[in-house]
Amino acid sequence: MTQPRKQLWRGARISTMVDGWGLIERGAVLTDGEQITWVGAEADLPAGLQPQAEHHLDGALLTPGFVDAHTHLVYGGDRAAEFEQRLQGASYEDIARAGGGIRSTVAATRAARADDLFASGLRRAHTLRAGGVTTLEIKSGYGLEAAAEARCLRVARRVGRETGLTVKTTCLAAHALPPEFDGQPDAYIAAVCQWLPALHAEGLVDAVDAFCERIAFSPAQTRRVFEAAQALGLPVKLHAEQLSDQGGAALAAGFGALSCDHLEWLSADGIAAMQHAGTVAMLLPGAYYFLRETRLPPVQALRAAGVPIAIATDHNPGSSPVLSMPLMLNMACTLFRLTPLEAWLGATLNGARALGLHDRGQIAIGQRADFAVWDANHPRDLAYALGNPLAQAVISGGARIAP
Ligand code: DI6
Ligand code: FE
């Protein structure tokens, strides 16, 4: 498919997400290849443009594509039985300690064929894409051995090639202790640190993550993973303060982390450290909801400190089997009391920052031509709609990738 270089997208209501909603009535966007080269009111379009293709959007809403900057999209099996157990009173931590939870997904992932992991990952990515996602982070963390981690990261890359989505991969080998290392978490962490150089050399790692928690790894173990990442020049991020306050956010901020994620138990010290480092606070309302958590992340304190807030699906089989960014907009507002604008910024611009990307998240000159077109009057309509609004069109780098 050869794509016309210069394209004009006209007749849209545009929300640029520059200085707030940045609404432009009867707006137009000009793209050249993968980039936006002009945005404004149609009435102000420069004369003599001669685009090679024109798209009339009939008053639809055009927004930046969503950046889903925290997912565990590639895995085998499901955890519906565990969901049932939790409804009968077992906690997420109880199940993990009893060898279920992440470990059961690890067993199913190791047993799966790569083609099957790819097929299920692709289906999930298609669903996210239909809901306006153009950039997607995918973590490993269900292989927990060198070959299985590499396999999942390769599948993630393949999902990116197949869907037209930008996929950023994160190595989360320090997600849980695999059974063969029972009682030897330090030995497992040493192994993870040894795997990183080869995974990186194969081009499979854009960032390194860990799960710093009572049921996972200690701050000292997390630090060793971060030191190994740092030695390779890789950025870090952290599952921090999800179930308890381990001081993980401050540790990660000390390594200049791109983001700290979950954060229900984040302390004032953690907030200060994140502010100092410019680390994004990644809030995950799907996991909060699905685990029926009651402790809210400290949204007001994050706001007051000026820490950028992002939101994402955290799609995974155990704590957040959700595949809709519009639904996350709604939950971020209803559960975490973000304003619709904060939720949108979290799902676009700040999500991009959480991946270290500065070329997307707004409709502006020089940004990537990544956008979604909606049957809506205003972006707040998508945060209001409690469901799974689908985009009329999803464009990545100037090319239509859905529907
Ligand atoms: N926190 C989470 O919410 C996911 N991973 C993590 O570290 C859950 C992963 C799972 O339960 O499979
Ligand atoms: Fe997660």
Side-chain angles (χ1 to χ4, degrees), residues 324-337:
S324 167
M325 281 298 277
L327 185 56
M328 294 304 95
L329 294 177
N330 179 273
M331 286 193 181
C333 296
T334 51
L335 298 175
F336 293 168
R337 289 286 179 258

Side-chain angles (χ1 to χ4, degrees), residues 75-262:
Y75 57 85
D78 71 71
R79 306 249 288 279
E82 180 184 306
F83 174 61
E84 224 172 356
Q85 274 178 288
R86 284 196 296 103
L87 292 173
Q88 285 156 12
S91 76
Y92 182 77
E93 293 193 57
D94 294 339
I95 292 168
R97 288 184 202 287
I102 294 174
R103 273 196 181 182
S104 74
T105 300
V106 170
T109 304
R110 287 178 176 180
R113 296 168 47 231
D115 281 345
D116 292 335
L117 290 175
F118 172 68
S120 59
L122 186 66
R123 271 198 306 278
R124 296 174 195 130
H126 281 158
T127 305
L128 284 168
R129 189 181 68 176
V133 169
T134 49
T135 298
L136 178 61
E137 186 247 23
I138 301 178
K139 301 176 195 294
S140 66
Y142 292 120
L144 308 189
E145 58 196 8
E149 287 288 294
R151 198 163 72 118
C152 291
L153 291 167
R154 280 185 215 117
V155 165
R157 287 269 188 255
R158 192 172 158 205
V159 166
R161 287 194 298 275
E162 190 73 21
T163 54
L165 296 167
T166 302
V167 167
K168 290 292 211 176
T169 54
T170 298
C171 180
L172 176 59
H175 192 196
L177 193 63
E180 59 275 20
F181 279 88
D182 254 340
Q184 311 168 64
D186 288 316
Y188 179 63
I189 290 296
V192 168
C193 294
Q194 273 178 9
W195 302 341
L196 275 178
L199 294 172
H200 177 49
E202 198 185 322
L204 293 174
V205 185
D206 295 317
V208 174
D209 195 349
F211 189 18
C212 183
E213 191 55 69
R214 288 187 299 233
I215 54 168
F217 298 103
S218 68
Q221 290 158 349
T222 301
R223 173 184 291 279
R224 288 167 60 200
V225 175
F226 284 177
E227 283 167 353
Q230 199 173 47
L232 297 168
L234 288 169
V236 302
K237 41 182 57 230
L238 188 65
H239 282 69
E241 274 72 280
Q242 179 184 8
L243 308 170
S244 63
D245 180 11
Q246 300 287 313
L251 171 70
F255 282 82
L258 290 172
S259 68
C260 292
D261 305 41
H262 287 285

